[in-house]
Amino acid sequence: ETGVTQTPRHLVMGMTNKKSLKCEQHLGHNAMYWYKQSAKKPLELMFVYNFKEQTENNSVPSRFSPECPNSSHLFLHLHTLQPEDSALYLCASSQAGIERYGYTFGSGTRLTVV
Amino acid sequence: LAKTTQPISMDSYEGQEVNITCSHNNIATNDYITWYQQFPSQGPRFIIQGYKTKVTNEVASLFIPADRKSSTLSLPRVSLSDTAVYYCLVVGDDKIIFGKGTRLHILP
């Protein structure tokens, strides 16, 4: 148990489906992140939330829609995805402003788009 | 953000000491050197961090020379379960960016 829980662990969806990924942290952190990791590629930072406010969107297509209702929960809403969106989606949390203290990552959601 | 350079891959044998070197020529005064470990289909895990000289914990040691332009992660007596990707990052008070890491493969 890393303190950051992601559900589901695996997801298969069609290109016309709508699904959501969920992330929950019980570490008292106030910053949360979504990363995408495609096969044999570096982790790509997608979104950053500090104190529930989105502070960064790294040119992510609009078919990915994040939501952060509070500092403990983060969602990634998915719709009309493409096969190239198949990847491991990782959520992380940290203490905003002192990121050098480290990020805690969840185990990820393995997404397959068919 | 300071860029880091580390080997793409390394092989070693069980029981050996493994040293992975990372260069970060543009490190800033406020930056710390941080290493993460990632197993397949899992998120990265923080393993060690240092500012200068030497840091040791139950998992690894981190050696940082006086000019801080490089660092070496040392894994003592590796086992098969140490097969993973190891990321070297330079972290200040801002978001962290991951590079490609070093893919370490431990052989029996």
Side-chain angles (χ1 to χ4, degrees):
Chain A
E1 176 58 55
T2 65
V4 177
T5 304
Q6 289 187 244
T7 53
R9 288 298 309 275
H10 301 273
L11 178 62
V12 179
M13 60 186 289
M15 289 189 284
T16 58
N17 291 157
K18 288 185 179 181
K19 296 286 184 183
S20 296
L21 310 184
K22 180 182 176 182
C23 176
E24 186 174 358
Q25 60 95 1
H26 299 286
L27 300 168
H29 290 162
N30 48 31
M32 297 187 77
Y33 313 82
W34 280 116
Y35 282 85
K36 174 185 177 182
Q37 189 171 36
S38 303
K40 299 192 177 178
K41 287 187 178 180
L43 284 86
E44 302 171 48
L45 180 62
M46 300 175 71
F47 301 105
V48 179
Y49 277 84
N50 284 329
F51 298 94
K52 304 186 299 178
E53 299 297 321
Q54 187 181 127
T55 57
E56 189 150 343
N57 174 341
N58 279 333
S59 303
V60 180
S62 59
R63 57 186 183 270
F64 295 91
S65 174
E67 179 190 1
C68 188
N70 54 61
S71 294
S72 298
H73 295 85
L74 185 64
F75 296 89
L76 188 62
H77 304 299
L78 316 171
H79 64 97
T80 59
L81 294 191
Q82 304 298 312
E84 59 265 28
D85 297 322
S86 298
L88 180 67
Y89 288 85
L90 290 159
C91 172
S93 69
S94 73
Q95 201 62 23
I98 45 175
E99 280 75 6
R100 65 175 178 82
Y101 284 8
Y103 284 16
T104 301
F105 281 83
S107 296
T109 295
R110 173 70 61 187
L111 174 67
T112 303
V113 181
V114 297
Chain B
L1 296 170
K3 182 178 177 181
T4 60
T5 303
Q6 56 184 121
I8 296 295
S9 65
M10 293 178 66
D11 290 340
S12 187
Y13 292 93
E14 278 193 295
Q16 299 292 306
E17 177 184 80
V18 172
N19 295 310
I20 306 174
T21 298
C22 177
S23 50
H24 26 79
N25 291 317
N26 298 321
I27 190 168
T29 304
N30 295 333
D31 290 337
Y32 283 70
I33 298 137
T34 308
W35 287 78
Y36 282 75
Q37 174 192 56
Q38 185 180 23
F39 298 115
S41 296
Q42 291 187 29
R45 179 176 76 110
F46 174 100
I47 52 174
I48 198 165
Q49 183 182 79
Y51 187 80
K52 61 181 179 181
T53 64
K54 177 184 174 182
V55 178
T56 298
N57 62 22
E58 65 278 6
V59 176
S61 294
L62 180 59
F63 299 91
I64 305 166
D67 67 4
R68 301 196 335 119
K69 294 183 183 299
S70 67
S71 58
T72 299
L73 176 73
S74 181
L75 304 172
R77 297 180 300 282
V78 293
S79 64
L80 295 175
S81 62
D82 291 315
T83 293
V85 179
Y86 292 82
Y87 297 95
C88 167
L89 301 100
V90 171
V91 183
D93 291 328
D94 195 359
K95 63 181 183 293
I96 60 175
I97 303 296
F98 286 80
K100 295 182 179 180
T102 297
R103 192 170 295 273
L104 177 64
H105 187 205
I106 305 302
L107 304 166

PDB file of all heavy atoms in Angstrom, chain B residues 73-93:
ATOM      1  N   LEU B  73      24.435   6.508  -7.923  1.00  0.00           N
ATOM      2  CA  LEU B  73      23.587   5.647  -7.098  1.00  0.00           C
ATOM      3  C   LEU B  73      24.285   4.306  -6.970  1.00  0.00           C
ATOM      4  O   LEU B  73      24.662   3.703  -7.971  1.00  0.00           O
ATOM      5  CB  LEU B  73      22.221   5.457  -7.755  1.00  0.00           C
ATOM      6  CG  LEU B  73      21.270   4.493  -7.049  1.00  0.00           C
ATOM      7  CD1 LEU B  73      20.741   5.127  -5.767  1.00  0.00           C
ATOM      8  CD2 LEU B  73      20.121   4.073  -7.956  1.00  0.00           C
ATOM      9  N   SER B  74      24.458   3.842  -5.744  1.00  0.00           N
ATOM     10  CA  SER B  74      25.118   2.573  -5.517  1.00  0.00           C
ATOM     11  C   SER B  74      24.149   1.604  -4.853  1.00  0.00           C
ATOM     12  O   SER B  74      23.582   1.897  -3.796  1.00  0.00           O
ATOM     13  CB  SER B  74      26.348   2.770  -4.627  1.00  0.00           C
ATOM     14  OG  SER B  74      27.010   1.543  -4.422  1.00  0.00           O
ATOM     15  N   LEU B  75      23.962   0.455  -5.490  1.00  0.00           N
ATOM     16  CA  LEU B  75      23.096  -0.601  -4.962  1.00  0.00           C
ATOM     17  C   LEU B  75      23.989  -1.761  -4.524  1.00  0.00           C
ATOM     18  O   LEU B  75      24.634  -2.395  -5.362  1.00  0.00           O
ATOM     19  CB  LEU B  75      22.115  -1.079  -6.037  1.00  0.00           C
ATOM     20  CG  LEU B  75      21.239  -0.004  -6.665  1.00  0.00           C
ATOM     21  CD1 LEU B  75      20.447  -0.575  -7.841  1.00  0.00           C
ATOM     22  CD2 LEU B  75      20.283   0.575  -5.633  1.00  0.00           C
ATOM     23  N   PRO B  76      24.060  -2.042  -3.225  1.00  0.00           N
ATOM     24  CA  PRO B  76      24.956  -3.104  -2.767  1.00  0.00           C
ATOM     25  C   PRO B  76      24.350  -4.484  -2.965  1.00  0.00           C
ATOM     26  O   PRO B  76      23.166  -4.678  -2.735  1.00  0.00           O
ATOM     27  CB  PRO B  76      25.106  -2.786  -1.274  1.00  0.00           C
ATOM     28  CG  PRO B  76      23.818  -2.122  -0.911  1.00  0.00           C
ATOM     29  CD  PRO B  76      23.372  -1.356  -2.127  1.00  0.00           C
ATOM     30  N   ARG B  77      25.152  -5.419  -3.409  1.00  0.00           N
ATOM     31  CA  ARG B  77      24.744  -6.822  -3.474  1.00  0.00           C
ATOM     32  C   ARG B  77      23.344  -6.990  -4.077  1.00  0.00           C
ATOM     33  O   ARG B  77      22.399  -7.391  -3.407  1.00  0.00           O
ATOM     34  CB  ARG B  77      24.805  -7.464  -2.092  1.00  0.00           C
ATOM     35  CG  ARG B  77      26.218  -7.500  -1.509  1.00  0.00           C
ATOM     36  CD  ARG B  77      26.216  -8.153  -0.132  1.00  0.00           C
ATOM     37  NE  ARG B  77      25.376  -7.430   0.817  1.00  0.00           N
ATOM     38  CZ  ARG B  77      25.717  -6.324   1.433  1.00  0.00           C
ATOM     39  NH1 ARG B  77      26.911  -5.785   1.194  1.00  0.00           N
ATOM     40  NH2 ARG B  77      24.903  -5.732   2.283  1.00  0.00           N
ATOM     41  N   VAL B  78      23.236  -6.678  -5.349  1.00  0.00           N
ATOM     42  CA  VAL B  78      21.928  -6.702  -5.997  1.00  0.00           C
ATOM     43  C   VAL B  78      21.391  -8.127  -6.103  1.00  0.00           C
ATOM     44  O   VAL B  78      22.138  -9.104  -6.137  1.00  0.00           O
ATOM     45  CB  VAL B  78      21.977  -6.048  -7.396  1.00  0.00           C
ATOM     46  CG1 VAL B  78      22.258  -4.556  -7.277  1.00  0.00           C
ATOM     47  CG2 VAL B  78      22.985  -6.737  -8.291  1.00  0.00           C
ATOM     48  N   SER B  79      20.064  -8.194  -6.195  1.00  0.00           N
ATOM     49  CA  SER B  79      19.391  -9.467  -6.422  1.00  0.00           C
ATOM     50  C   SER B  79      18.508  -9.328  -7.664  1.00  0.00           C
ATOM     51  O   SER B  79      18.359  -8.224  -8.210  1.00  0.00           O
ATOM     52  CB  SER B  79      18.538  -9.851  -5.208  1.00  0.00           C
ATOM     53  OG  SER B  79      17.499  -8.899  -5.039  1.00  0.00           O
ATOM     54  N   LEU B  80      17.921 -10.441  -8.076  1.00  0.00           N
ATOM     55  CA  LEU B  80      17.074 -10.414  -9.273  1.00  0.00           C
ATOM     56  C   LEU B  80      15.947  -9.393  -9.129  1.00  0.00           C
ATOM     57  O   LEU B  80      15.516  -8.771 -10.109  1.00  0.00           O
ATOM     58  CB  LEU B  80      16.491 -11.800  -9.551  1.00  0.00           C
ATOM     59  CG  LEU B  80      17.493 -12.902  -9.906  1.00  0.00           C
ATOM     60  CD1 LEU B  80      16.786 -14.248 -10.036  1.00  0.00           C
ATOM     61  CD2 LEU B  80      18.241 -12.573 -11.187  1.00  0.00           C
ATOM     62  N   SER B  81      15.485  -9.218  -7.907  1.00  0.00           N
ATOM     63  CA  SER B  81      14.360  -8.313  -7.666  1.00  0.00           C
ATOM     64  C   SER B  81      14.734  -6.841  -7.811  1.00  0.00           C
ATOM     65  O   SER B  81      13.853  -5.977  -7.751  1.00  0.00           O
ATOM     66  CB  SER B  81      13.774  -8.554  -6.272  1.00  0.00           C
ATOM     67  OG  SER B  81      14.747  -8.274  -5.285  1.00  0.00           O
ATOM     68  N   ASP B  82      16.001  -6.552  -7.999  1.00  0.00           N
ATOM     69  CA  ASP B  82      16.428  -5.167  -8.241  1.00  0.00           C
ATOM     70  C   ASP B  82      16.340  -4.796  -9.712  1.00  0.00           C
ATOM     71  O   ASP B  82      16.635  -3.656 -10.089  1.00  0.00           O
ATOM     72  CB  ASP B  82      17.862  -4.964  -7.742  1.00  0.00           C
ATOM     73  CG  ASP B  82      17.958  -5.032  -6.232  1.00  0.00           C
ATOM     74  OD1 ASP B  82      17.108  -4.411  -5.557  1.00  0.00           O
ATOM     75  OD2 ASP B  82      18.874  -5.720  -5.724  1.00  0.00           O
ATOM     76  N   THR B  83      15.947  -5.747 -10.553  1.00  0.00           N
ATOM     77  CA  THR B  83      15.724  -5.446 -11.965  1.00  0.00           C
ATOM     78  C   THR B  83      14.585  -4.436 -12.070  1.00  0.00           C
ATOM     79  O   THR B  83      13.459  -4.702 -11.634  1.00  0.00           O
ATOM     80  CB  THR B  83      15.374  -6.724 -12.748  1.00  0.00           C
ATOM     81  OG1 THR B  83      16.510  -7.578 -12.765  1.00  0.00           O
ATOM     82  CG2 THR B  83      14.957  -6.398 -14.179  1.00  0.00           C
ATOM     83  N   ALA B  84      14.893  -3.266 -12.627  1.00  0.00           N
ATOM     84  CA  ALA B  84      13.933  -2.170 -12.658  1.00  0.00           C
ATOM     85  C   ALA B  84      14.528  -1.031 -13.487  1.00  0.00           C
ATOM     86  O   ALA B  84      15.666  -1.105 -13.946  1.00  0.00           O
ATOM     87  CB  ALA B  84      13.629  -1.679 -11.239  1.00  0.00           C
ATOM     88  N   VAL B  85      13.744   0.013 -13.651  1.00  0.00           N
ATOM     89  CA  VAL B  85      14.252   1.245 -14.253  1.00  0.00           C
ATOM     90  C   VAL B  85      14.541   2.229 -13.125  1.00  0.00           C
ATOM     91  O   VAL B  85      13.723   2.405 -12.218  1.00  0.00           O
ATOM     92  CB  VAL B  85      13.236   1.856 -15.235  1.00  0.00           C
ATOM     93  CG1 VAL B  85      13.783   3.161 -15.820  1.00  0.00           C
ATOM     94  CG2 VAL B  85      12.928   0.868 -16.356  1.00  0.00           C
ATOM     95  N   TYR B  86      15.709   2.849 -13.162  1.00  0.00           N
ATOM     96  CA  TYR B  86      16.135   3.789 -12.140  1.00  0.00           C
ATOM     97  C   TYR B  86      16.237   5.177 -12.770  1.00  0.00           C
ATOM     98  O   TYR B  86      16.922   5.379 -13.768  1.00  0.00           O
ATOM     99  CB  TYR B  86      17.475   3.360 -11.547  1.00  0.00           C
ATOM    100  CG  TYR B  86      17.341   2.086 -10.759  1.00  0.00           C
ATOM    101  CD1 TYR B  86      17.340   0.846 -11.387  1.00  0.00           C
ATOM    102  CD2 TYR B  86      17.165   2.116  -9.375  1.00  0.00           C
ATOM    103  CE1 TYR B  86      17.177  -0.332 -10.673  1.00  0.00           C
ATOM    104  CE2 TYR B  86      17.003   0.940  -8.652  1.00  0.00           C
ATOM    105  CZ  TYR B  86      17.009  -0.263  -9.306  1.00  0.00           C
ATOM    106  OH  TYR B  86      16.841  -1.428  -8.593  1.00  0.00           O
ATOM    107  N   TYR B  87      15.521   6.117 -12.157  1.00  0.00           N
ATOM    108  CA  TYR B  87      15.476   7.482 -12.670  1.00  0.00           C
ATOM    109  C   TYR B  87      16.269   8.416 -11.752  1.00  0.00           C
ATOM    110  O   TYR B  87      16.077   8.403 -10.531  1.00  0.00           O
ATOM    111  CB  TYR B  87      14.039   7.998 -12.715  1.00  0.00           C
ATOM    112  CG  TYR B  87      13.116   7.241 -13.633  1.00  0.00           C
ATOM    113  CD1 TYR B  87      12.307   6.215 -13.151  1.00  0.00           C
ATOM    114  CD2 TYR B  87      13.027   7.577 -14.984  1.00  0.00           C
ATOM    115  CE1 TYR B  87      11.448   5.522 -13.992  1.00  0.00           C
ATOM    116  CE2 TYR B  87      12.164   6.890 -15.828  1.00  0.00           C
ATOM    117  CZ  TYR B  87      11.382   5.873 -15.323  1.00  0.00           C
ATOM    118  OH  TYR B  87      10.530   5.197 -16.156  1.00  0.00           O
ATOM    119  N   CYS B  88      17.108   9.207 -12.375  1.00  0.00           N
ATOM    120  CA  CYS B  88      17.836  10.265 -11.680  1.00  0.00           C
ATOM    121  C   CYS B  88      17.130  11.587 -11.989  1.00  0.00           C
ATOM    122  O   CYS B  88      16.893  11.898 -13.160  1.00  0.00           O
ATOM    123  CB  CYS B  88      19.277  10.296 -12.188  1.00  0.00           C
ATOM    124  SG  CYS B  88      20.219  11.753 -11.714  1.00  0.00           S
ATOM    125  N   LEU B  89      16.782  12.323 -10.964  1.00  0.00           N
ATOM    126  CA  LEU B  89      16.111  13.601 -11.164  1.00  0.00           C
ATOM    127  C   LEU B  89      16.765  14.677 -10.322  1.00  0.00           C
ATOM    128  O   LEU B  89      17.269  14.412  -9.239  1.00  0.00           O
ATOM    129  CB  LEU B  89      14.637  13.525 -10.771  1.00  0.00           C
ATOM    130  CG  LEU B  89      13.775  12.515 -11.510  1.00  0.00           C
ATOM    131  CD1 LEU B  89      13.589  11.270 -10.682  1.00  0.00           C
ATOM    132  CD2 LEU B  89      12.428  13.118 -11.820  1.00  0.00           C
ATOM    133  N   VAL B  90      16.726  15.884 -10.842  1.00  0.00           N
ATOM    134  CA  VAL B  90      17.163  17.039 -10.070  1.00  0.00           C
ATOM    135  C   VAL B  90      15.906  17.820  -9.718  1.00  0.00           C
ATOM    136  O   VAL B  90      15.158  18.229 -10.612  1.00  0.00           O
ATOM    137  CB  VAL B  90      18.150  17.892 -10.882  1.00  0.00           C
ATOM    138  CG1 VAL B  90      18.424  19.195 -10.169  1.00  0.00           C
ATOM    139  CG2 VAL B  90      19.433  17.120 -11.117  1.00  0.00           C
ATOM    140  N   VAL B  91      15.671  17.983  -8.446  1.00  0.00           N
ATOM    141  CA  VAL B  91      14.378  18.505  -7.986  1.00  0.00           C
ATOM    142  C   VAL B  91      14.571  19.750  -7.139  1.00  0.00           C
ATOM    143  O   VAL B  91      15.341  19.740  -6.184  1.00  0.00           O
ATOM    144  CB  VAL B  91      13.631  17.435  -7.161  1.00  0.00           C
ATOM    145  CG1 VAL B  91      12.262  17.949  -6.752  1.00  0.00           C
ATOM    146  CG2 VAL B  91      13.511  16.142  -7.945  1.00  0.00           C
ATOM    147  N   GLY B  92      13.847  20.822  -7.524  1.00  0.00           N
ATOM    148  CA  GLY B  92      13.793  22.011  -6.684  1.00  0.00           C
ATOM    149  C   GLY B  92      12.412  22.084  -6.068  1.00  0.00           C
ATOM    150  O   GLY B  92      11.846  21.074  -5.665  1.00  0.00           O
ATOM    151  N   ASP B  93      11.854  23.245  -5.985  1.00  0.00           N
ATOM    152  CA  ASP B  93      10.501  23.388  -5.445  1.00  0.00           C
ATOM    153  C   ASP B  93       9.501  23.549  -6.576  1.00  0.00           C
ATOM    154  O   ASP B  93       8.692  24.459  -6.588  1.00  0.00           O
ATOM    155  CB  ASP B  93      10.442  24.573  -4.474  1.00  0.00           C
ATOM    156  CG  ASP B  93      11.213  24.288  -3.207  1.00  0.00           C
ATOM    157  OD1 ASP B  93      11.268  23.111  -2.799  1.00  0.00           O
ATOM    158  OD2 ASP B  93      11.774  25.230  -2.633  1.00  0.00           O
TER     159      ASP B  93
END
